[in-house]
Amino acid sequence: MSKPRKPKGRPVSGWLVLDKPFDFGSTEAVSKVKWLFKAQKAGHAGTLDPLASGMLPIALGDATKTVPYVMDGRKIYEFTVAWGEERNTDDLEGEPTQTSDKRPSEEDIRALLPKYTGVIEQVPPQFSAIKIAGERAYDMAREGEAVEIPAREVEIHRLTLLKAEKDQAHFEVECGKGTYVRSLARDMGRDLGCYGHIAGLRRTLVAPFGEERLVPLEKLVALEEIEDADERLAALDAFLIAPVEALTNLPHVRVSDDQVRRLRSGNPVILRGRDAPLPTPEAYATSISGELVAIGAVEEGEFRPKRVFG
């Protein structure tokens, strides 16, 4: 019987909040970070288009188990809409499909904003990762197929006009999971009767990570000049955020050393005391020292692990 393959790379674990540069794909960014950190595994929480810049949270090692909780977090984008053209990709990369000489006034734009605040119906872009009958929409669109993508509900918490110019306008939006800013630009352009597409897009927040956590890619790449491997990896690891910080919106349980051992063996532990949380389908448990031990459910006075760490 053959031995199981040993995973390549280091068992490093944590979140890196990358400031993704313009004209650099999300998959390319994850691969670069994984290689720099010599990590066994890596994943990201929310794709950014190559023509967008800004926050791309990347999970390494055990932190990949917390990706869904960051994916669900609120996001903030700053974006520019260029008026006068609608494009098949809804951004600068595509070909024009509609044009107009009309330009909206600042008053017209401001009057439209309430329509795009709250829970709204939105059709994702033709060039998106949405699956239609098992195929990615962008693959079908590139082959010239007309893609029928159903509308879906998304939530816009805040949409602010930052600056209005003759041929473009600058906005900031705070939104929930699944919102396409490219669709927002397209739909506003149609409502204003002038058409529009994204001419600039930057993500500044993916909750719970704020803008102060951003690490430019060039800062990481510069560390390649450190010849000593241990010293170089230690310098990189200093940028990592503990996996537990991705779970701050969940109820928290602190457990004893004996309970840590039980949870890591996949067994439930009994919760006692007035600080024990109420029943909940999701909570996280940490050791006395604050190390993440498990994500699980609180049921019938017990913490029952679903995902275990360490």
Side-chain angles (χ1 to χ4, degrees):
M1 187 175 180
S2 62
K3 292 183 179 179
R5 286 185 180 180
K6 187 178 179 181
K8 291 182 180 180
R10 299 190 299 146
V12 60
S13 180
W15 279 96
L16 176 79
V17 184
L18 183 70
D19 190 345
K20 187 190 81 65
F22 175 83
D23 208 14
F24 200 70
S26 293
T27 301
E28 187 181 1
V30 172
S31 296
K32 182 68 173 179
V33 167
K34 183 182 178 184
W35 181 82
L36 285 168
F37 281 81
K38 310 302 180 202
Q40 288 179 357
K41 57 183 176 179
H44 66 78
T47 300
L48 266 184
D49 296 332
L51 298 186
S53 67
M55 187 175 292
L56 180 67
I58 296 176
L60 301 179
D62 261 4
T64 56
K65 298 175 183 177
T66 66
V67 164
Y69 303 94
V70 179
M71 291 278 284
D72 286 343
R74 289 191 183 194
K75 298 163 182 69
I76 294 179
Y77 297 87
E78 293 176 0
F79 65 101
T80 299
V81 181
W83 307 121
E85 276 188 353
E86 185 170 307
R87 300 193 175 194
N88 59 354
T89 59
D90 300 316
D91 63 14
L92 287 171
E93 200 171 26
E95 298 295 325
T97 57
Q98 302 281 355
T99 61
S100 173
D101 293 329
K102 182 181 177 181
R103 297 295 183 267
S105 67
E106 181 173 341
E107 292 73 20
D108 289 339
I109 297 170
R110 291 192 184 280
L112 183 64
L113 297 184
K115 179 179 177 180
Y116 290 95
T117 306
V119 177
I120 66 169
E121 290 273 320
Q122 186 183 76
V123 176
Q126 295 278 302
F127 285 79
S128 66
I130 299 292
K131 281 193 173 182
I132 307 293
E135 288 191 67
R136 297 289 185 189
Y138 54 65
D139 288 331
M140 299 168 71
R142 285 184 187 126
E143 291 170 5
E145 293 186 48
V147 184
E148 289 292 330
I149 305 177
R152 58 185 186 172
E153 284 190 349
V154 296
E155 187 168 9
I156 309 292
H157 303 287
R158 175 175 56 84
L159 178 58
T160 305
L161 176 64
L162 301 177
K163 184 180 181 182
E165 300 173 300
K166 180 185 175 184
D167 293 318
Q168 62 184 22
H170 307 275
F171 300 88
E172 184 177 74
V173 63
E174 183 176 355
C175 55
K177 180 181 178 182
T179 303
Y180 279 92
V181 182
R182 284 183 290 145
S183 294
L184 202 56
R186 176 200 66 207
D187 294 344
M188 286 196 294
R190 289 177 181 177
D191 279 344
L192 291 166
C194 63
Y195 302 114
H197 62 274
I198 288 288
L201 177 64
R202 179 171 176 79
R203 187 160 65 193
T204 59
L205 179 138
V206 179
F209 303 126
E211 202 169 4
E212 74 283 356
R213 300 281 205 175
L214 282 171
V215 181
L217 181 61
E218 58 266 27
K219 185 176 283 191
L220 302 176
V221 172
L223 296 177
E224 291 185 77
E225 296 179 7
I226 300 175
E227 293 184 6
D228 183 83
D230 290 340
E231 185 182 345
R232 181 174 67 254
L233 291 171
L236 286 165
D237 289 351
F239 290 109
L240 293 179
I241 299 168
V244 69
E245 293 202 33
L247 306 173
T248 52
N249 289 332
L250 296 180
H252 174 219
V253 175
R254 197 175 298 278
V255 294
S256 67
D257 291 343
D258 181 60
Q259 289 174 319
V260 167
R261 288 188 287 271
R262 286 187 57 79
L263 288 173
R264 285 182 172 156
S265 297
N267 298 310
V269 297
I270 296 172
L271 301 176
R272 295 188 177 90
R274 60 186 177 184
D275 293 331
L278 295 171
T280 178
E282 286 193 306
Y284 69 99
T286 64
S287 65
I288 298 299
S289 63
E291 184 182 3
L292 180 60
V293 178
I295 299 171
V298 177
E299 298 172 345
E300 298 175 351
E302 292 183 331
F303 181 90
R304 299 174 180 175
K306 296 177 180 177
R307 292 185 176 184
V308 176
F309 298 77

